[in-house]
Amino acid sequence: MKNNVSIMASVALLSCLTHTVSAQNRTITGKVTNELGIPLVASITLSGGSKIGTSSNEQGDFSLSLPQNTSYLTVSSLGYETKTVAITGNAVNIQLKAKADFNLDEVVVVGYGTQRKGDLTAPIATVNMQDMAKRTVSNSMDALQGAVAGVQVVSSGAPGSTPSVRVRGVGSFNNESPLYVVDGMFMDNIDFLNPNDIADISILKDASGAAIYGVRAANGVILVTTKKGSLNMKSRVTYNGFAGFQTPTNVLKMANAQQYANYANATGNGAFVKKSVEKYGGTETNPAMDTDWFDELLRSKALIMNHNVDIMGGSEKITYAFGLNYVKQEGIMDAKNNNQKFNMRMQADAKVTDWLKVGFMAHLNNFKSYHPDNAAFRQAYFASPLYPVYDPSIELSKPEKFGSSTAIGMQSGFWYNNPIATAFYRNNQTKGFQILPSFYVEAELWKDKITFKSQLSQRYQSTHNIGYNPIYYIDNDQRNDRSFLRSAQARNNNYILDNLLTYKDEAGKHHWSVLLGQSTREDRWRETWVQANDVPESEEFWYVGVGAQGIGSATGYGERGSRNAGISYFTRGTYDYDNKYLLTATFRADGSSKYQTKWGYFPSVGLGWVLTREKFMENQKLFNQLKLRGSWGKLGNDGIQPNAGYATVYSGNNFSGIFGSEGSTNGTRIPGYRVGRFFSQVRWEVVEEWDGGIDFALLNNRLSGTLDYYHRTTHDLAFSRPIPFSWDRVYGNWGSVANSGWELSLQWKDKVGALGYSIGGNVTTLKNTVKNLGGLENIMNGFPEWSAEFPARIQINEPINFYYGYEVAGVYQNQAQIDADPIAKAYNQQNPNAPILPGYLQYKDQNNNGELDENDRINLGNYLPKITYGFNLAFDYKKFDLSVAFQGVSGNKIHNLNRAMRRKYNQMNVDAAFVDKLWTGEGTSNTHPSAAGSVASWNLQASSFFVESGAYLRVQNIQLGYSFDFPKMPTRIFVTADRPFMFTKYNGFTPEIGEMGFDANVYPIASTYSLGVKVSF
């Protein structure tokens, strides 16, 4: 009984104390903005050294519980003057004044540390994460398209695909991708990261900024820092997500049945038009069967969704963050193709003592993708509209009754296969997981001067790919008589151990810092695969091996892998006098196990001059900031083949002999072998770059921007070249390539009454030139299988992989023009059975010698844009906000291989634009041949007819949002249109083409329309 009384008394006392404390506290809400009314993320603390505080969100809103007797708050934000505000009620609106040089105080993530933006001597670009978060994409790098000067992102529409990223052009024949550093770990891409996980992105574009990463930095470095909690931060839970649908855009229109029938009759392929009419009805000029293969292959709507939850906060000594993310994206191909990702992010930092700090971070990623068969898009371009997708009359077709081109007498073969069946019978899936844990210890050895940090970053990834082909029959070519299973397991196991010692100090107006670092790394990769036939179709039986549920034995097995290690030593020193004269110098020594040359050395230096801190600029009112920069440095690229330090053995009939043959007696074939005598001694490629730039802000910081000129040359360019008087080729460092150009970024921000607005943009120029090929005049290249007919060429003083062919001067309109042209006249004399006729292409005689020969082939352009650009508009009015982003390229060319393939496959379909422009008589066209001429060999040579402009302007993103001022739960809803419109003259699905710009029908890019919400509490 006494115990019960004691408990009741304790509960009553605790209730009274709680009520008393609650009665003594009050909740203050408010909003933090700058002088233009633009919301700010700021720190709000109780004045007088108290630890009580919070921070405002992206909309500037905050809520803080304070004691009743509180009088003042201290509000601070990066780049703005700290302000003390008197509390006169329960709501307070705070306006902060920008510092005169506010841009200079912004902290920028650089290699192995951070720096004030005002201290930078390199053109390090930072990304506006609020703008990036508006993109409804599943890949973080897609969100950067058009957002950063000097960075080109080429996207693909396939779910889970990795975009191609180029920083300041292409300087290698081997590897052109930048290095990604995610919280200290080296990565080949950041596909696993969701844009909502990212706090900062810095792009090290030049040698001065990137040299500290040495042998991995030749293609630029992209530093990614994920979100973390903050000290004295009230716990905050944020949900940010959207759901919507993707729809095909810019769909290529093919010739319909009537157009195709007329074209086929004109090209001598009318027999299968007649057979289609006999089988499916209609007339030979208007067949009844009219299949739109792209319409059949594409979904009208494909689901995309992204859900993200973040929990962040911190106390006086501990910060923490926890994030969950789920992404699902269906493909617009109407087949089994989609991508799903589930991410988990954890972070914790703890201040153990006044001088010791420890931290942990981990990314866990689980994913599953079904990969489409992109060949279906290629076949959809080829497929005749004169036969159906399904044809029950084909008795042998199984298990689905797919139609076949052979039913109307067309050729069989890959290019004429039923594209819907190709997509349907594809089952290729990859699933796996990835773990990226990192741990660090940081000790302050001398307060505010010397710190030591050691960090271990790891990556473990395991993927399992299964490809299964079932038994099916459509025709004698499109068939699979035995089921086939291939199962491949791949594992990556990497680690990096970094040790960093940093010294910072100052004396009067002199400020300096020194970083000493050592890094050890190892990369391991292994893939094993096994395959088998006669595996049951049900997925539960997809196992191979003795005792497996599926089949008892394998028909094939293989394994491959690699293991490389490296050790590095590096240093960086910075110095400035009065934040006016700036110096940065770095040096890195990289040791690698990949090459016989074990060590490489990569120095850099950067200088800066802040003119606005000079006395002669004190009284001017135009510039708030004006800084000149200059830098030079060297970088490395080890993304090339390692040394071939072993003999290469060749065997086969070319090296065999027949011995013992006498009279009618057959001899015995004795296998022969030849040992390659040439060994490659390869080293990394080296990029040497210099950069000059200006950073500026003016008109009361309303207008800000940067201007840079860069020139980078890749030396020791690695490629394989033939050995004279030998069948051998040897891989080595033979050539050099230069990239140069201008980069300009501008941003204007202002407010008129309640309307805030901003206008920004960037533009980059690029000149790519091959400087040396190790004594070779040129190298022929091109799309695999088609390089002989439609080559690309690498040649000194020309850009990499330009299209090589004849220049079309027009179309022969009549026989008189043909007879007057010595080239046509000579050709007709040599080819009387296949002469040049009116309606054929006329090629330009470049040297006016009356002959069409190799000397008349010229540079027809290449795939690298001469100009890339992006610009954006943003408006906010009261609780509404609207943003629009644009992106485009110009000066690049695309080789339309879809049309060019008619060289070998003259029964293929043709796009509607091609049919509409065909020559039909004198004066009807001077750009396109006649229908009969379109399949004649004279018109199917490599020429400018198949090379088209790749220029485009795309509305990249439109987003409209509305914010609710809920005191404890700020909420924003938004609707988004991503990639809704494109303006281009190219005759294809998309001008974003990989494969050196050869378009053989890539997976098209979709438009996305979605509805989303962001809420914090």
Side-chain angles (χ1 to χ4, degrees), residues 577-588:
Y577 175 76
D578 195 22
N579 299 126
K580 185 190 308 182
Y581 309 116
L582 313 172
L583 169 66
T584 303
T586 65
F587 181 81
R588 179 161 177 143

Side-chain angles (χ1 to χ4, degrees), residues 743-891:
E743 296 173 355
L744 174 64
S745 298
L746 293 172
Q747 184 77 22
W748 173 275
K749 287 187 177 182
D750 202 355
K751 190 162 188 175
V752 179
L755 177 65
Y757 68 96
S758 67
I759 303 172
N762 68 83
V763 61
T764 304
T765 69
L766 173 66
K767 182 180 179 181
N768 176 273
T769 310
V770 176
K771 294 295 186 181
N772 183 17
L773 290 174
L776 298 178
E777 292 184 3
N778 59 71
I779 300 173
M780 300 304 290
N781 207 344
F783 191 83
E785 183 185 357
W786 296 92
S787 58
E789 288 84 6
F790 308 105
R793 196 170 195 176
I794 303 171
Q795 183 173 305
I796 294 175
N797 295 324
E798 298 287 355
I800 285 178
N801 289 316
F802 64 86
Y803 309 126
Y804 185 62
Y806 300 117
E807 181 182 0
V808 174
V811 175
Y812 293 110
Q813 299 294 325
N814 49 54
Q815 189 63 42
Q817 285 187 4
I818 296 173
D819 295 338
D821 185 353
I823 292 177
K825 185 176 181 180
Y827 181 88
N828 286 350
Q829 289 175 350
Q830 297 171 7
N831 301 273
N833 296 324
I836 296 173
L837 300 173
Y840 280 30
L841 298 178
Q842 180 180 8
Y843 300 116
K844 185 175 181 179
D845 184 2
Q846 299 291 340
N847 53 12
N848 296 312
N849 65 351
E851 298 178 3
L852 190 68
D853 54 27
E854 187 69 14
N855 294 323
D856 294 312
R857 295 178 183 261
I858 62 169
N859 177 355
L860 300 174
N862 85 326
Y863 67 105
L864 292 176
K866 295 179 180 178
I867 298 175
T868 60
Y869 59 92
F871 57 97
N872 58 81
L873 307 170
F875 305 91
D876 63 89
Y877 180 77
K878 295 183 178 180
K879 298 178 183 180
F880 289 93
D881 62 88
L882 172 68
S883 62
V884 185
F886 301 82
Q887 176 260 335
V889 302
S890 67

Side-chain angles (χ1 to χ4, degrees), residues 430-744:
T430 300
K431 53 187 176 181
F433 67 90
Q434 178 174 253
I435 303 175
L436 272 74
S438 66
F439 310 84
Y440 78 87
V441 177
E442 184 176 311
E444 191 173 32
L445 305 180
W446 185 357
K447 187 173 178 59
D448 297 328
K449 291 188 177 181
I450 298 180
T451 59
F452 174 78
K453 181 178 180 180
S454 183
Q455 176 168 325
L456 175 64
S457 303
Q458 295 175 283
R459 178 197 181 205
Y460 179 78
Q461 182 189 53
S462 176
T463 61
H464 184 202
N465 175 260
I466 298 176
Y468 179 78
N469 293 332
I471 297 173
Y472 65 88
Y473 181 91
I474 300 169
D475 56 41
N476 285 337
D477 180 81
Q478 195 170 7
R479 62 190 294 181
N480 189 43
D481 297 330
R482 300 180 68 187
S483 64
F484 174 80
L485 176 72
R486 185 181 189 275
S487 177
Q489 186 84 33
R491 295 161 296 279
N492 285 283
N493 192 357
N494 309 336
Y495 82 85
I496 299 175
L497 177 61
D498 294 323
N499 296 297
L500 309 172
L501 183 67
T502 305
Y503 170 57
K504 295 181 180 180
D505 208 346
E506 60 183 59
K509 295 183 179 181
H510 302 272
H511 312 87
W512 65 86
S513 71
V514 178
L515 168 70
L516 299 176
Q518 181 270 333
S519 182
T520 304
R521 65 188 181 278
E522 184 175 74
D523 301 332
R524 300 184 184 185
W525 172 76
R526 173 174 288 180
E527 181 186 52
T528 56
W529 59 269
V530 63
Q531 65 187 39
N533 293 108
D534 305 319
V535 178
E537 189 170 349
S538 178
E539 192 168 343
E540 64 181 296
F541 298 107
W542 291 358
Y543 301 96
V544 178
V546 177
Q549 190 170 347
I551 193 166
S553 61
T555 59
Y557 170 82
E559 184 174 43
R560 55 180 179 163
S562 63
R563 180 176 180 179
N564 299 302
I567 188 169
S568 306
Y569 301 93
F570 50 89
T571 182
R572 177 175 58 222
T574 67
Y575 167 80
D576 75 77
Y577 175 76
D578 195 22
N579 299 126
K580 185 190 308 182
Y581 309 116
L582 313 172
L583 169 66
T584 303
T586 65
F587 181 81
R588 179 161 177 143
D590 267 319
S592 173
S593 65
K594 292 181 69 174
Y595 309 104
Q596 291 175 347
T597 302
K598 296 298 182 185
W599 286 92
Y601 305 99
F602 305 95
S604 77
V605 61
L607 299 172
W609 178 21
V610 184
L611 279 76
T612 42
R613 295 189 66 87
E614 295 286 358
K615 288 186 177 181
F616 61 80
M617 296 285 285
E618 286 181 353
N619 296 323
Q620 59 85 31
K621 302 297 183 182
L622 179 62
F623 287 98
N624 301 96
Q625 174 200 153
L626 183 61
K627 180 171 69 172
L628 301 181
R629 294 179 281 99
S631 62
W632 169 90
K634 288 187 176 183
L635 306 167
N637 177 22
D638 69 347
I640 61 176
Q641 296 180 23
N643 284 80
Y646 52 88
T648 303
V649 180
Y650 302 90
S651 64
N653 291 335
N654 290 339
F655 314 110
S656 302
I658 304 295
F659 296 91
S661 179
E662 183 176 340
S664 61
T665 304
N666 294 327
T668 303
R669 176 182 175 274
I670 304 297
Y673 303 91
R674 181 178 66 81
V675 178
R677 297 170 294 168
F678 301 99
F679 295 82
S680 64
Q681 183 164 339
V682 188
R683 58 189 178 275
W684 39 76
E685 298 171 337
V686 177
V687 169
E688 183 176 5
E689 180 176 14
W690 59 268
D691 181 286
I694 304 173
D695 299 333
F696 56 89
L698 60 158
L699 301 176
N700 198 21
N701 291 311
R702 288 182 175 86
L703 178 64
S704 59
T706 63
L707 175 66
D708 280 270
Y709 178 79
Y710 64 92
H711 189 282
R712 54 193 291 143
T713 302
T714 303
H715 302 285
D716 300 328
L717 190 69
F719 58 91
S720 179
R721 57 173 295 174
I723 302 298
F725 309 108
S726 167
W727 291 100
D728 285 307
R729 299 181 69 89
V730 63
Y731 186 83
N733 303 94
W734 311 113
S736 65
V737 172
N739 292 275
S740 61
W742 292 88
E743 296 173 355
L744 174 64

